[in-house]
Amino acid sequence: MSSMNYVTEAGLKKMKEELAQLESVERPKVIAAISEARDKGDLSENAEYDAAKEAQAHLEAKIMKLKTTIANSRVIDTSKLDNSSVQLLSRVTILNAKTKAKMTYTIVPETEGSDLKAGKISLTTPIAKGLIGKKVGDKVEIKVPAGLMTFEVLEIAVAVE
């Protein structure tokens, strides 16, 4: 049984583009490699053929996984999000109590992954987990690889794609 994935419109578009690339570009390349290797004769001792068949199996598994993920994805309706507490797709500004550094992050679905340069952190990261449900003014201690850090929630906004 597969679970529901909550994604942004942009995240779903990216997955569909990747699927199209795998099906229309990568799949024909693998099929061509198999037939080229097959043309070289004896399949029992043909390492190229074995490698091409293995590549095909990996590709087909990746395509199936992506199709399943897309089928089980629900686009998050940002108009229904509120900014009274931190939640998925919140853009939250926090203050590091020790260093007084301000940071702003958008909490994104796990399928979209963290991208610190773009200010996106995955829902599964320690900081995102620690911030979920918090309100402006809340102070929260979060255990990160560097130790225990205290953050204060300064601002919560709904992220718009």
Side-chain angles (χ1 to χ4, degrees):
M1 172 162 163
S2 37
S3 60
M4 184 58 61
N5 297 306
Y6 291 96
V7 296
T8 60
E9 194 78 55
L12 185 61
K13 182 176 185 261
K14 193 173 160 194
M15 285 191 291
K16 286 181 175 177
E17 286 167 358
E18 183 185 355
L19 180 61
Q21 167 76 14
L22 293 174
E23 289 181 325
S24 63
V25 178
E26 300 303 321
R27 185 183 270 160
K29 275 188 200 167
V30 168
I31 291 169
I34 290 171
S35 79
E36 196 178 302
R38 190 183 299 125
D39 292 344
K40 291 185 177 163
D42 186 6
L43 298 182
S44 65
E45 293 173 18
N46 190 331
E48 268 181 66
Y49 179 78
D50 292 341
K53 288 299 279 182
E54 193 172 316
Q56 182 185 35
H58 283 294
L59 179 67
E60 292 304 326
K62 193 172 179 182
I63 288 172
M64 281 310 301
K65 185 175 191 286
L66 203 48
K67 280 184 171 180
T68 302
T69 302
I70 290 169
N72 293 318
S73 289
R74 216 31 72 73
V75 174
I76 300 161
D77 181 353
T78 51
S79 70
K80 291 190 168 55
L81 298 177
D82 79 273
N83 57 3
S84 61
S85 68
V86 179
Q87 56 188 305
L88 186 59
L89 291 188
S90 287
R91 190 173 62 245
V92 60
T93 302
I94 55 177
L95 177 73
N96 181 324
K98 188 175 175 186
T99 65
K100 301 298 179 210
K102 281 185 187 177
M103 296 158 282
T104 301
Y105 295 118
T106 298
I107 299 173
V108 297
E110 183 182 8
T111 52
E112 294 181 33
S114 294
D115 179 354
L116 291 179
K117 282 192 181 97
K120 294 179 176 185
I121 57 173
S122 168
L123 188 60
T124 57
T125 61
I127 291 177
K129 284 180 180 172
L131 291 172
I132 293 293
K134 299 298 181 268
K135 295 181 178 346
V136 172
D138 284 356
K139 286 186 171 48
V140 57
E141 282 194 338
I142 300 173
K143 188 168 173 29
V144 294
L148 206 57
M149 296 178 81
T150 303
F151 297 103
E152 181 182 344
V153 179
L154 298 178
E155 188 184 336
I156 302 167
V158 174
V160 282
E161 289 273 319

